[in-house]
């Protein structure tokens, strides 16, 4: 403004003094300079013409598809970031119709790899939408990282310089970071891993993942004491059998003379192997090899009867591996008419709970299913209809126990480790604690400001964690109505580490975070999913974590290093539940594609450890078996302490 005012003052002075020729010369010079600047602007951005985005992207797309086959798949990686930012630039400049036409014209190119993102961006119609949408803000604030070989990168630069594609050049300079590697182009099969959105979150993840994680099991836990007791008893039993066998052998040798000697030695060796085989197997398991850590929380004392039940379960536990798969018990809710939002199964499989849209929580006792009292209800496991429920006042006529107290749909329910308590969370922003023995509501926990999506008990009970739409995860104690810790940043699934010192949360930002219970700090950020993270599970030894997302991808993470050790591709829809077997040999996944899949963890993790020194290892967990349910989506999975697999789902006929 100061320059313009000065020019105006000069022009007024020349006019007042009568310097006409000088005034005309100054006017011509000003016009010439303005014309030059306008031509420069028109060269870079011709009058805000929306067609420049269409022409620039279309030419880049044609060039990439017509490139040599050896480099084509690498050059095609540039198209998705260019497509996304051309579309968002058109929207931000107010060209809504042109942005819509551009999006519909070229979206098919990226439907296979980025369908979820495209569905979210499809409804973007104004600059205000770009500001309000989390995905659009993330795309604007961060950059894409693309891996190219050196020759592909040179080809791209030559094209941009030769064609003077200024719009595409600006987008590529602003929005993409290239990682150029010497040598041959990468494989086509690696395309899903070489285009990633990075920026401040990536830098933050590197900084966070340098912190130390003590991933081992709790020292002096019930399971550890029981394992020691079992191994000691097995050893004592083996020694007693050996002593008896030796006495018998001595008698037989005295009777049979020298001929029985070699045979008796062989029998003694066989008995030793048979007696100690179980002990050897437990010593080489994943759990026995895990280090022991001290608890950061004050843990509750375990009742004697509970320890006895755990001991009984450990004695009768089935040893699972890739040759011995678990028995599966599947519970199906019929005719729920989309009213069932969640389900969960107790640790021993004796109870099943469902959370419903009518704000009710229903618990079924499996021991009572099929008893004569059930004949009054023709609908079986699914419970009575609403009219029947209101009209039947007799508790004996219901095949379930009804808990009412929430004022909104129930989104999560979880049993305590010993089945005596039940937690439920709802859209009314509250968490309720129920007693399964008294059939009553004990506490209503208030603290979240928005719907609570998930709630989970700790492995030892007493403590529980919740995740809410207010983008916080909170740790609670049963005896306090206020949360002990608040972890800000995530809102979807939550799961406890086996040593109770950490909790993990997954979110719609496609990341998984691990939080320290004592400090409330994020100590790991796992980046790699391409859609919302819906399910989490910790391995029994505490070293690995599995996460499932909306696209059906499962990733196995190493907590100590913070890296993905094995992505699993097998489901074609949302992975709603994950569960490790008790000794960690198998991973079960349940999905909306109506299947339960069993994955071989033990042999795969051994191969991963052997290949730790090799860069770029491409090991994958082996799929052992797929169990289809015909047309029932799988909501929940649970391994009992005896290694029986329980699953639940809903079917609307």
């Amino acid at each position: 403004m100061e320059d313009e005012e000065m020019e105006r003052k000069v022009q007024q002075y020349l006019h007042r003094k009568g310097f006409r020729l000088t005034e005309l010369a100054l006017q011509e010079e000003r016009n010439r300079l303005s014309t030059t600047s306008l031509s420069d602007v028109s060269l870079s951005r011709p009058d805000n013409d929306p067609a420049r985005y269409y022409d620039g992207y279309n030419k880049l797309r044609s060039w990439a598809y017509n490139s040599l086959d050896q480099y084509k798949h690498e050059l095609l990686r540039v198209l998705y970031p260019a497509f996304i930012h051309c579309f968002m630039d058109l929207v931000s400049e107010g060209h809504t119709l042109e942005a819509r036409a551009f999006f519909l014209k070229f979206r098919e190119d990226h439907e296979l790899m980025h369908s979820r993102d495209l569905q979210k961006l499809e409804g973007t119609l104004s600059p205000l939408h770009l500001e309000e949408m989390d995905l659009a803000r993330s795309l604007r604030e961060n950059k894409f990282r693309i891996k190219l070989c050196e020759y592909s990168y040179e080809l791209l630069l030559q094209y941009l310089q030769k064609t003077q594609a200024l719009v595409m050049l600006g987008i590529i300079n602003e929005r993409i970071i290239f990682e150029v590697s010497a040598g041959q182009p990468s494989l086509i099969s690696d395309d899903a891993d070489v285009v990633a959105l990075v920026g401040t979150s990536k830098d933050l993840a590197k900084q966070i993942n340098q912190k130390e994680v003590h991933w081992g099991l709790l020292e002096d836990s019930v399971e550890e004491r029981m394992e020691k007791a079992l191994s000691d008893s097995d050893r004592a039993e083996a020694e007693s059998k050996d002593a008896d066998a030796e006495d018998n052998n001595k008698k037989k040798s005295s009777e049979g003379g020298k001929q029985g000697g070699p045979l008796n030695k062989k029998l003694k060796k066989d008995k030793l192997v048979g007696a100690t085989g179980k002990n050897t197997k437990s010593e080489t398991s994943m759990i026995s090899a895990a280090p022991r850590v001290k608890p950061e929380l004050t843990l509750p004392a375990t009742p004697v009867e509970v320890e006895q039940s755990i001991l009984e379960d450990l004695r009768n536990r089935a040893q699972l591996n890739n040759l011995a798969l678990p028995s599966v018990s599947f519970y199906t809710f019929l005719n729920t008419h989309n009213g069932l939002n969640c389900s969960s199964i107790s640790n021993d499989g004796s109870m099943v709970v469902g959370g419903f849209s009518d704000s009710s929580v229903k618990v079924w006792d499996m021991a009572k299913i099929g008893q004569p009292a059930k004949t009054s209800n023709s609908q079986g496991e699914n419970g009575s209809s609403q009219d029947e429920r209101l009209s039947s006042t007799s508790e004996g006529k219901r095949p379930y126990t009804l808990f009412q107290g929430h004022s909104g749909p129930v989104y999560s329910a979880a049993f305590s480790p010993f089945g005596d308590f039940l937690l439920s969370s709802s859209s009314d922003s509250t968490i309720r604690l129920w007693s399964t023995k008294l059939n009553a509501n004990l506490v209503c926990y208030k603290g979240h400001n928005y719907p609570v999506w998930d709630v989970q008990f700790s492995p030892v009970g007493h403590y529980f964690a919740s995740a809410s739409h207010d983008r916080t995860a909170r740790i609670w104690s049963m005896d306090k109505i206020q949360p002990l810790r608040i972890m800000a940043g995530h809102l979807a699934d939550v799961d406890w580490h086996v040593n109770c010192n950490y909790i993990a949360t997954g979110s719609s930002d496609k990341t998984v975070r691990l939080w320290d219970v004592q400090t409330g700090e994020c100590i790991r950020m796992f980046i790699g999913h391409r859609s919302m993270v819906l399910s989490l599970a910790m391995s029994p030894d505490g070293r690995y974590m599995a996460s499932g997302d909306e696209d059906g991808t499962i990733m196995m993470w190493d907590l100590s290093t913070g890296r993905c050790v094995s992505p699993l591709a097998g489901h074609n829809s949302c992975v709603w539940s994950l569960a490790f077997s008790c000794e960690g040999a198998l991973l079960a996944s349940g999905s909306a594609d109506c299947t339960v899949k069993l994955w071989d963890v033990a042999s795969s993790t051994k191969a991963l450890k052997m290949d730790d020194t090799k860069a770029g290892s491409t090991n994958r967990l082996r799929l052992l078996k797929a169990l289809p349910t015909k047309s029932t989506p799988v909501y929940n999975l649970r391994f009992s302490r005896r290694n029986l697999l329980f699953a639940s789902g809903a079917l609307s006929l």
Side-chain angles (χ1 to χ4, degrees):
M1 293 297 295
E2 293 178 358
D3 293 339
E4 292 177 3
E5 182 145 356
M6 184 177 293
E7 289 178 2
R8 190 167 60 252
K9 292 288 185 183
V10 170
Q11 189 173 3
Q12 289 174 358
Y13 173 80
L14 294 174
H15 182 73
R16 189 169 61 249
K17 292 294 184 180
F19 299 138
R20 183 67 180 166
L21 294 177
T22 307
E23 184 182 356
L24 290 174
L26 182 62
Q27 184 69 32
E28 288 177 2
E29 182 69 11
R30 188 186 301 116
N31 292 338
R32 186 181 66 80
L33 291 174
S34 62
T35 304
T36 305
S37 62
L38 284 173
S39 64
D40 291 339
V41 171
S42 64
L43 183 63
S44 59
R45 286 186 179 273
D47 298 329
N48 198 22
D49 182 12
R52 70 193 189 281
Y53 290 105
Y54 181 92
D55 294 339
Y57 178 80
N58 192 35
K59 290 178 181 177
L60 177 65
R61 176 179 179 272
S62 300
W63 173 79
Y65 275 103
N66 291 324
S67 301
L68 292 173
D69 291 340
Q70 186 177 2
Y71 306 102
K72 184 199 300 187
H73 70 279
E74 285 199 335
L75 297 172
L76 290 176
R77 296 169 186 168
V78 183
L79 295 184
Y80 178 66
F83 167 77
I84 287 294
H85 286 291
C86 283
F87 170 72
M88 290 194 294
D89 284 349
L90 284 168
V91 172
S92 64
E93 293 175 5
H95 305 299
T96 305
L97 296 178
E98 291 82 357
R100 196 94 189 119
F102 177 85
F103 188 85
L104 295 175
K105 172 72 175 176
F106 299 113
R107 72 170 294 172
E108 188 177 351
D109 296 343
H110 315 287
E111 194 74 42
L112 181 63
M113 297 289 294
H114 307 280
S115 59
R116 298 289 180 183
D117 290 351
L118 296 180
Q119 289 173 10
K120 294 175 183 177
L121 290 171
E122 190 174 9
T124 306
L125 302 175
S126 70
L128 185 61
H129 290 170
L130 292 177
E131 296 176 6
E132 293 177 347
M133 185 185 296
D134 291 339
L135 174 61
R137 283 204 312 270
S138 177
L139 291 170
R140 285 298 206 186
E141 294 170 0
N142 301 321
K143 293 185 178 182
F144 283 89
R145 184 201 69 221
I146 298 179
K147 295 180 181 179
L148 295 178
C149 75
E150 193 171 359
Y151 190 72
S152 296
Y153 183 65
E154 290 178 359
L155 287 175
L156 178 63
L157 290 182
Q158 290 174 9
Y159 165 79
L160 294 173
Q161 293 171 0
K162 182 179 179 181
T163 59
Q164 292 294 310
L166 299 181
V167 173
M168 290 297 104
L169 183 60
I171 289 176
I172 289 173
N173 281 337
E174 255 184 277
R175 308 295 184 181
I176 299 177
I177 299 173
F178 290 102
E179 289 188 5
V180 182
S181 59
Q184 295 298 317
S186 59
L187 300 175
I188 298 179
S189 59
D190 296 334
D191 280 0
D193 303 325
V194 294
V195 181
L197 187 67
V198 298
T200 56
S201 60
K202 183 70 175 179
D203 300 333
L204 180 62
K206 286 183 178 178
Q207 182 180 355
I208 289 174
N209 292 348
Q210 292 175 356
K211 299 177 181 178
E212 187 178 3
V213 172
H214 302 286
W215 55 267
L217 301 176
L218 285 177
E219 61 182 20
D220 198 33
S221 62
V222 176
E223 285 80 1
E224 184 181 8
R225 278 182 276 143
M226 296 307 171
E227 281 188 0
K228 288 181 180 178
L230 281 174
S231 61
D232 292 342
S233 62
D234 289 343
R235 193 178 296 109
E237 184 179 355
E239 289 175 356
S240 63
K241 286 183 179 179
D242 292 341
D244 295 340
E246 191 172 352
D247 293 340
N248 293 333
N249 291 337
K250 286 181 179 179
K251 291 180 181 178
K252 290 179 181 178
S253 61
S254 61
E255 295 174 358
K258 294 182 181 180
Q259 294 179 353
L263 180 62
N264 292 335
K265 288 182 181 179
K266 185 178 184 301
L267 287 173
K268 180 178 178 180
K269 182 178 180 181
D270 292 342
K271 288 184 178 181
L272 271 171
V273 172
T276 58
K278 182 179 178 182
N279 188 35
T280 305
K281 194 180 294 184
S282 65
E283 286 178 356
T284 58
S285 68
M286 296 169 62
I287 298 178
S288 300
R292 264 49 180 181
V293 299
K294 295 182 179 180
E296 295 181 359
L297 293 173
T298 304
L299 302 182
T302 306
V304 177
E305 60 272 13
V306 172
E307 289 192 3
Q308 291 176 351
S309 68
I310 294 176
L311 174 61
E312 182 67 21
D313 290 336
L314 288 174
R315 288 185 185 277
N316 297 310
R317 175 178 293 176
Q319 294 291 333
L320 300 181
N321 52 48
N322 54 1
L323 299 177
L325 300 181
S327 300
V328 184
S329 179
F330 196 91
Y331 303 132
T332 302
F333 294 83
L334 299 177
N335 298 325
T336 56
H337 303 294
N338 297 323
L340 179 69
N341 294 328
C342 63
S343 66
S344 185
I345 305 167
S346 62
N347 278 354
D348 57 0
S350 63
M351 291 183 289
V352 178
V353 61
F356 292 84
S357 295
D358 62 359
S359 72
S360 65
V361 179
K362 300 174 184 177
V363 178
W364 283 263
D365 188 343
M366 293 297 102
K368 296 179 181 179
I369 295 294
Q371 290 186 355
K374 182 194 168 205
T375 56
S376 61
N377 180 6
S378 60
Q379 294 189 17
E381 277 188 38
N382 61 304
S384 58
S385 65
Q386 187 173 7
D387 294 335
E388 283 182 312
R389 180 174 57 77
L390 293 174
S391 61
S392 66
T393 56
S394 173
E395 187 69 26
K397 292 183 179 180
R398 288 199 191 114
Y400 58 85
T401 302
L402 178 65
F403 295 111
Q404 290 180 314
H406 286 292
S407 58
V410 178
Y411 291 130
S412 179
F415 287 100
S416 64
F418 312 123
D420 47 351
F421 296 105
L422 173 68
L423 284 170
S424 61
S425 64
S426 168
S427 66
D428 62 10
S429 308
T430 65
I431 304 164
R432 289 184 179 266
L433 178 69
W434 313 83
S435 172
T436 57
K437 294 181 178 178
L438 302 176
N439 294 337
N441 183 215
L442 303 180
V443 189
C444 179
Y445 300 95
K446 299 179 180 180
H448 287 291
N449 301 319
Y450 287 92
V452 184
W453 301 126
D454 193 24
V455 63
Q456 290 292 335
F457 266 108
S458 75
V460 296
H462 188 70
Y463 301 102
F464 60 93
S466 60
S468 168
H469 193 67
D470 61 12
R471 303 191 68 85
T472 65
R474 306 186 184 211
I475 299 174
W476 308 75
S477 174
M478 287 173 56
D479 56 352
K480 292 181 174 60
I481 61 172
Q482 297 297 327
L484 304 179
R485 292 285 184 276
I486 298 177
M487 283 75 73
H490 268 200
L491 70 154
D493 194 64
V494 62
D495 194 31
W496 282 83
H497 193 273
V498 289
N499 62 24
C500 303
N501 293 335
Y502 309 105
I503 66 166
T505 58
S507 182
S508 60
D509 65 1
K510 308 175 188 177
T511 67
V512 182
R513 301 191 188 197
L514 190 70
W515 307 83
D516 190 323
V517 169
Q518 188 64 30
T519 62
E521 293 180 352
C522 177
I523 58 173
R524 284 288 183 276
M525 182 186 293
F526 305 97
I527 299 176
H529 283 286
R530 293 188 169 273
S531 59
M532 179 189 299
V533 180
L534 299 176
S535 54
L536 297 170
M538 295 284 185
S539 65
D541 65 346
R543 178 172 181 179
Y544 299 102
M545 176 182 66
S547 58
D549 65 20
E550 198 176 13
D551 287 337
T553 303
I554 304 169
M555 289 193 168
M556 184 83 74
W557 307 92
D558 188 335
L559 298 186
S560 58
T561 62
R563 67 183 180 92
C564 177
V565 295
S566 182
L568 313 178
H571 292 290
N572 52 33
S573 188
C574 308
V575 179
W576 280 338
S577 184
L578 294 166
F580 280 93
S581 61
C582 295
E583 75 286 344
L586 303 179
L587 172 67
S589 59
S591 170
D593 63 6
C594 306
T595 61
V596 175
K597 293 184 184 290
L598 298 174
W599 308 85
D600 184 6
V601 176
S603 59
S604 300
T605 49
K606 285 179 183 177
L608 289 170
K609 290 175 183 176
M610 291 174 63
D611 291 347
D612 273 346
T613 56
K614 299 179 183 178
S617 175
T618 57
N619 284 293
R620 298 289 188 271
L621 261 65
R622 184 161 59 99
L623 177 63
L624 296 177
K625 194 167 187 180
L627 306 170
T629 64
K630 289 188 178 179
S631 57
T632 306
V634 183
Y635 281 10
N636 185 257
L637 294 171
R638 166 85 67 181
F639 274 97
S640 71
R641 290 195 189 94
R642 300 190 181 193
N643 262 338
L644 301 177
L645 178 58
F646 297 95
S648 63
L651 175 64
S652 296
L653 299 176

